Amino acid sequence: MVVDDEPIVGKRLKRLFKKEGYEVEAFTRSASAIMELDKKTFDIIITDLKMEGVDGLKLLKIARGKNPSVKVIIITGYGRKSIAKEAINKGAFDFITKPFKVNDLKQSVRKAERELRHK
Amino acid sequence: MKLKIWHKMIIGIAIPSCIAILGNVLTYKYITDVENRQGYVQIGDDLKELVLEVRRNERNFLYYKNEESLKNLHNAISNLSDSATSISPKTTKEIGKTDFLEFQNSIGKYSDLIDSLYDKYLVAREFTEKVRAEGRKLETFVSKGGHAKELTTSFILHLRLLEKNYMLFHDKKSFLELNSGLSQLTSIIPFCNECSPYIQTMKDLFKIYSQNSSMEDDIQIIGDKFEKNTKEIAIREREKISSFVKLTKRHLLIALALLCTLGPLFVYKTATYIVTPIKRLSEITKRISEGDITLRAPLKEHDETFSLAVSFNTMLDHLQLTHESLEKSLELLREKQAQLVESEKRASIGLLVSGVAHELNNPLNNISLTAETMLEDLEELDPDELKGYVQDIFSQSERAHHIVEDLLDFARARRSTVMEKQDIAGIVKGSVNLIANQLRVNNINLHLDVPEKEIFVRGNLSKLEQVFVNIFINAIQAMKDRGTLTVSIEADEENKNVHINICDTGPGISPDKLKDIFEPFFTTKPVGQGTGLGLSVSQSLIKEHGGEIEVESEEGIGTTFTVKFPLYGERGRTAASGEVPNMEQGKTG
């Protein structure tokens, strides 16, 4: 699941990870993403931090409430260390700042996948 | 003039007083003189009385020619003489010394003459007896039928009658009649032995009488002189009194005139001399109190005001030094304040820039993500897809360009200091845009109630933006990570001012801190997060624009800042102002 109010991010990441062999769904509004979480179980969630309405940290909390094993990778343009720390403490798998390298994201997703498989 | 004020006062008072005293002294002297003169008049009158007494007795003596009258006359003379000698030499000097000495000498001479005359009277009496005896002899001789028949008894009797008349009257007529009678007798009998003794004694008597008469005349002349002298003394003294009174009157009038003219003149001059330096000092202090502390009191007079002026000038020197050092301190303080204001500006710009930088990250990320994935999938992508990628890159770079453009506009606007017609609604909206990212980052809702119509005020764009950005940032920081910022604009009832209300839903400010929030360096934020200058700078900028800022706060509910600016054209300017529609204030939260 990719959640970012920037449509381009959703669009690109969807195509990128589909090519990698993942099933990907992209959302520009966190509210509709949460609704989707009720219907499906997602293994990995890539979400923006600052969004209108429910922000990345809230989404993290909700998602982990529904599925504690879910791996949430947070990407944000506001690369403050304090927020990164807070996010990791709240159970985020990784914290990546914008603009990110595609490879960094890919590696993070692969790492999450490995951890999931390992379990 | 090197005179002290009290010297001047003494002179001013002394001169009119001297005139008055002089007038009084003169008057006193004249009155004393008049008193003395009245005494002299009395003396003159007394002497005149005594002289009249002497003259009365003189007449009696000349008439009776006897011892008693002589005695009375001498008594009167001695009374006069006593009285004259009892007069003091000072008095005699005053009433005419030479005249008086002559008068005194005349008394002695007069007395001697009287005595001589009395002796002559005795001789005359003797001769009278002789004449009578010779007459009787002649009478007897003729009656006996004597010498010639021409010499008749009747002739002799007639002659004796003439003789008696002459004896009785002693006047010229009786003398001429008697003398012609004697001539007749001589012509009747030229050589008559019996007749010649009579004729001879008669002639002797004539001689004596003549001598007596001349003495009497002398006495009378002296008496007249006495009378005249004493009369003159009284008259002279009266005249003197009269002239003294006239002189006194004239002098008194002169003194009065001097007092009336010189007195006020001296008093006025003295007052002027005293007041002029004080007035000059007072004028200079007035001018100094109006602000020109470089002025100094003139050091013209050498009286008490001189030392006052010197002290005053010394005080002014100190004051000027203090003033100058204060001005220097103030200048330094202004520089420091300007530096602080500048650092506050930089702090707010920093916040804005960090917001803008973060905002830039989104388009940059989109560009890099699109470019990277495009590069990866280049061979797989069909031309339409490629076009979409390139369009995304283009649109995102455009987006980044806009952000940078906005930042440049903001930076450019800050450099201008021109005060001109500004649309306050537009500025409020622009300022909100500048902090839009901060709002988003901090999860703050914005409720903007700004009319579409332009509302004009006179001001500087960047300064006005700074006012609102500072207040907005303050509100954002107060609300931390959630809340609602409400911004509304409305006009006051008289349509003279525009009110911009900025409400936050932060924790509010306690009343004891509320009074300090516009103080420089007052901050409730942790160290390092705020300079405490933001609201202070906003307040000074608002004042610069002729506006006001007020704050209301309730703990637990939030804080409302109300910024008031006069509408364009409401500060004596003629330019048209934008109308502000009446609006409901949209407060939420």
Side-chain angles (χ1 to χ4, degrees):
Chain A
M1 178 187 256
V2 177
V3 189
D4 196 319
D5 50 8
E6 294 285 331
I8 290 173
V9 174
K11 211 157 65 182
R12 299 285 173 262
L13 292 186
K14 193 175 174 180
R15 185 186 165 93
L16 181 79
F17 287 109
K18 265 190 176 171
K19 230 180 88 185
E20 294 282 312
Y22 299 97
E23 246 182 78
V24 189
E25 281 189 42
F27 300 90
T28 54
R29 294 186 61 79
S30 50
S32 39
I34 290 164
M35 275 164 72
E36 196 63 23
L37 282 176
D38 288 335
K39 294 177 199 163
K40 282 186 189 169
T41 307
F42 291 87
D43 294 322
I44 300 165
I45 298 170
I46 300 167
T47 179
D48 191 11
L49 186 70
K50 296 289 176 187
M51 288 180 293
E52 251 180 76
V54 181
D55 69 7
L57 288 178
K58 268 186 195 157
L59 184 68
L60 165 73
K61 197 182 170 189
I62 292 165
R64 280 177 66 82
K66 290 182 194 295
N67 176 15
S69 62
V70 70
K71 303 292 175 195
V72 179
I73 298 164
I74 288 173
I75 49 171
T76 180
Y78 305 92
R80 286 217 300 265
K81 278 188 179 172
S82 60
I83 297 172
K85 214 174 169 183
E86 192 188 348
I88 300 296
N89 284 343
K90 283 184 174 171
F93 178 73
D94 204 355
F95 189 91
I96 295 168
T97 53
K98 285 178 180 179
F100 52 81
K101 292 268 184 285
V102 172
N103 262 344
D104 292 348
L105 189 61
K106 272 184 185 172
Q107 273 175 14
S108 182
V109 170
R110 276 181 203 134
K111 197 179 161 192
E113 192 199 341
R114 270 202 303 278
E115 272 193 21
L116 279 169
R117 278 200 190 143
H118 194 69
K119 274 187 179 173
Chain B
M1 201 186 280
K2 290 186 181 184
L3 285 176
K4 305 256 178 218
I5 287 178
W6 68 278
H7 287 148
K8 293 174 185 172
M9 282 178 80
I10 285 169
I11 292 170
I13 294 163
I15 288 177
S17 305
C18 281
I19 296 170
I21 290 166
L22 190 72
N24 275 330
V25 168
L26 283 175
T27 312
Y28 179 78
K29 190 178 168 287
Y30 289 140
I31 287 170
T32 315
D33 275 343
V34 167
E35 242 173 30
N36 289 340
R37 295 287 159 197
Q38 268 177 339
Y40 302 152
V41 169
Q42 191 59 50
I43 289 167
D45 283 345
D46 288 350
L47 285 176
K48 199 173 99 186
E49 283 296 311
L50 289 170
V51 166
L52 286 177
E53 186 63 23
V54 168
R55 293 305 305 274
R56 197 168 56 77
N57 281 299
E58 176 201 298
R59 271 197 297 279
N60 282 346
F61 170 67
L62 292 181
Y63 184 75
Y64 295 113
K65 298 177 177 68
N66 55 10
E67 207 175 339
E68 196 193 344
S69 63
L70 175 71
K71 206 177 145 194
N72 288 340
L73 180 55
H74 271 301
N75 281 339
I77 288 168
S78 79
N79 280 343
L80 177 64
S81 175
D82 288 348
S83 188
T85 47
S86 74
I87 295 165
S88 68
K90 194 179 158 229
T91 312
T92 58
K93 199 180 164 190
E94 285 295 325
I95 58 179
K97 200 176 179 180
T98 44
D99 283 0
F100 198 74
L101 278 176
E102 198 187 315
F103 171 69
Q104 272 179 321
N105 290 336
S106 302
I107 292 172
K109 212 168 137 190
Y110 181 75
S111 180
D112 291 347
L113 266 175
I114 295 289
D115 285 337
S116 312
L117 185 61
Y118 185 65
D119 289 344
K120 290 283 180 190
Y121 278 160
L122 291 179
V123 174
R125 204 176 288 158
E126 203 179 302
F127 272 84
T128 308
E129 288 306 316
K130 269 185 185 172
V131 167
R132 279 185 186 141
E134 289 302 327
R136 276 195 297 273
K137 273 184 194 168
L138 189 63
E139 207 183 310
T140 317
F141 173 66
V142 172
S143 64
K144 281 177 182 171
H147 204 273
K149 55 178 176 190
E150 290 91 352
L151 196 64
T152 59
T153 310
S154 61
F155 176 74
I156 290 300
L157 285 175
H158 176 68
L159 197 63
R160 290 298 307 269
L161 184 70
L162 290 175
E163 176 210 304
K164 269 179 194 161
N165 280 347
Y166 176 66
M167 296 282 188
L168 193 66
F169 299 112
H170 294 299
D171 58 358
K172 206 172 179 178
K173 189 190 160 200
S174 59
F175 168 72
L176 289 173
E177 279 172 356
L178 180 59
N179 207 26
S180 76
L182 287 176
S183 301
Q184 271 180 355
L185 181 65
T186 317
S187 65
I188 294 169
I189 313 163
F191 303 104
C192 174
N193 289 329
E194 284 78 15
C195 303
S196 59
Y198 178 71
I199 293 166
Q200 192 52 51
T201 50
M202 187 58 84
K203 279 189 178 168
D204 287 342
L205 192 63
F206 279 163
K207 206 186 269 173
I208 287 163
Y209 274 156
S210 151
Q211 281 172 355
N212 284 5
S213 177
S214 90
M215 273 178 88
E216 280 170 354
D217 286 345
D218 285 346
I219 284 166
Q220 274 177 333
I221 285 165
I222 291 169
D224 285 345
K225 217 173 173 182
F226 283 171
E227 245 179 278
K228 202 183 150 211
N229 274 344
T230 48
K231 241 185 215 169
E232 270 175 358
I233 286 170
I235 287 166
R236 204 162 50 229
E237 290 310 313
R238 281 206 172 87
E239 273 171 0
K240 274 183 185 170
I241 284 171
S242 156
S243 76
F244 266 137
V245 167
K246 270 182 196 164
L247 200 67
T248 310
K249 262 163 94 181
R250 195 184 302 145
H251 285 177
L252 274 177
L253 275 176
I254 290 167
L256 192 68
L258 280 176
L259 199 65
C260 288
T261 53
L262 289 181
L265 191 74
F266 269 94
V267 168
Y268 174 77
K269 273 279 162 199
T270 311
T272 313
Y273 275 133
I274 293 167
V275 166
T276 306
I278 295 171
K279 227 175 169 179
R280 204 178 290 137
L281 206 59
S282 128
E283 266 166 26
I284 211 91
T285 52
K286 198 182 158 205
R287 280 171 61 195
I288 288 163
S289 75
E290 280 164 3
D292 190 357
I293 77 165
T294 56
L295 287 173
R296 290 291 177 274
L299 303 172
K300 284 188 177 172
E301 259 71 22
H302 287 266
D303 56 17
E304 287 84 343
T305 60
F306 180 83
S307 57
L308 188 63
V310 169
S311 313
F312 185 67
N313 286 348
T314 315
M315 192 183 79
L316 276 176
D317 290 342
H318 288 307
L319 196 66
Q320 200 173 354
L321 277 176
T322 315
H323 186 75
E324 278 164 12
S325 89
L326 270 178
E327 270 192 343
K328 274 183 197 158
S329 306
L330 196 65
E331 187 67 23
L332 210 65
L333 200 66
R334 278 199 191 116
E335 268 174 35
K336 291 278 172 204
Q337 203 182 12
Q339 281 171 13
L340 281 166
V341 167
E342 193 52 40
S343 78
E344 174 61 24
K345 266 187 202 165
R346 280 200 209 108
S348 65
I349 290 169
L351 269 170
L352 289 172
V353 168
S354 96
V356 171
H358 288 138
E359 181 64 17
L360 264 177
N361 274 340
N362 279 319
L364 286 176
N365 185 63
N366 289 339
I367 292 165
S368 78
L369 181 63
T370 306
E372 216 179 337
T373 51
M374 193 173 79
L375 207 64
E376 242 176 53
D377 302 337
L378 199 60
E379 284 160 14
E380 299 162 24
L381 292 170
D382 58 43
D384 280 346
E385 279 175 321
L386 263 176
K387 200 181 168 187
Y389 273 64
V390 174
Q391 269 175 347
D392 279 349
I393 290 172
F394 184 69
S395 73
Q396 289 307 305
S397 63
E398 277 291 294
R399 186 180 158 191
H401 175 72
H402 278 302
I403 293 165
V404 171
E405 195 89 306
D406 281 353
L407 189 65
L408 284 174
D409 279 349
F410 176 70
R412 218 172 285 133
R414 293 186 78 82
R415 284 198 291 271
S416 161
T417 54
V418 183
M419 299 284 270
E420 54 198 356
K421 194 174 172 182
Q422 304 284 357
D423 169 27
I424 194 79
I427 288 170
V428 169
K429 282 183 218 163
S431 307
V432 168
N433 284 338
L434 288 169
I435 50 108
N437 283 303
Q438 294 290 327
L439 291 174
R440 204 177 308 144
V441 169
N442 290 289
N443 264 340
I444 291 161
N445 295 321
L446 175 71
H447 187 98
L448 192 60
D449 189 359
V450 178
E452 287 302 313
K453 210 167 181 177
E454 289 171 319
I455 302 164
F456 291 110
V457 297
R458 191 177 139 76
N460 176 271
L461 177 64
S462 77
K463 284 178 179 174
L464 289 173
E465 267 181 353
Q466 196 184 349
V467 165
F468 294 115
V469 166
N470 283 351
I471 299 170
F472 293 157
I473 286 173
N474 193 70
I476 291 166
Q477 285 171 338
M479 289 187 278
K480 297 206 175 87
D481 272 343
R482 62 186 48 78
T484 303
L485 179 69
T486 307
V487 181
S488 65
I489 301 184
E490 59 176 358
D492 67 2
E493 284 166 7
E494 292 106 24
N495 219 17
K496 282 185 174 174
N497 295 301
V498 58
H499 293 214
I500 301 105
N501 303 299
I502 300 132
C503 304
D504 67 49
T505 54
I509 307 162
S510 63
D512 59 319
K513 285 177 181 168
L514 199 62
K515 61 181 174 16
D516 295 323
I517 60 162
F518 294 113
E519 291 298 315
F521 310 109
F522 177 83
T523 180
T524 55
K525 294 165 211 161
V527 177
Q529 286 193 23
T531 56
L533 276 172
L535 288 176
S536 165
V537 167
S538 286
Q539 190 191 36
S540 69
L541 291 175
I542 289 162
K543 280 184 180 166
E544 217 175 280
H545 285 78
E548 286 170 30
I549 181 165
E550 285 165 11
V551 60
E552 279 174 41
S553 188
E554 205 171 322
E555 281 182 283
I557 291 181
T559 305
T560 301
F561 285 93
T562 303
V563 181
K564 212 193 290 181
F565 286 118
L567 286 169
Y568 191 75
E570 283 297 333
R571 285 162 78 191
R573 297 187 70 85
T574 50
S577 65
E579 264 180 46
V580 179
N582 266 340
M583 295 166 299
E584 274 295 310
Q585 193 181 344
K587 277 188 192 169
T588 56

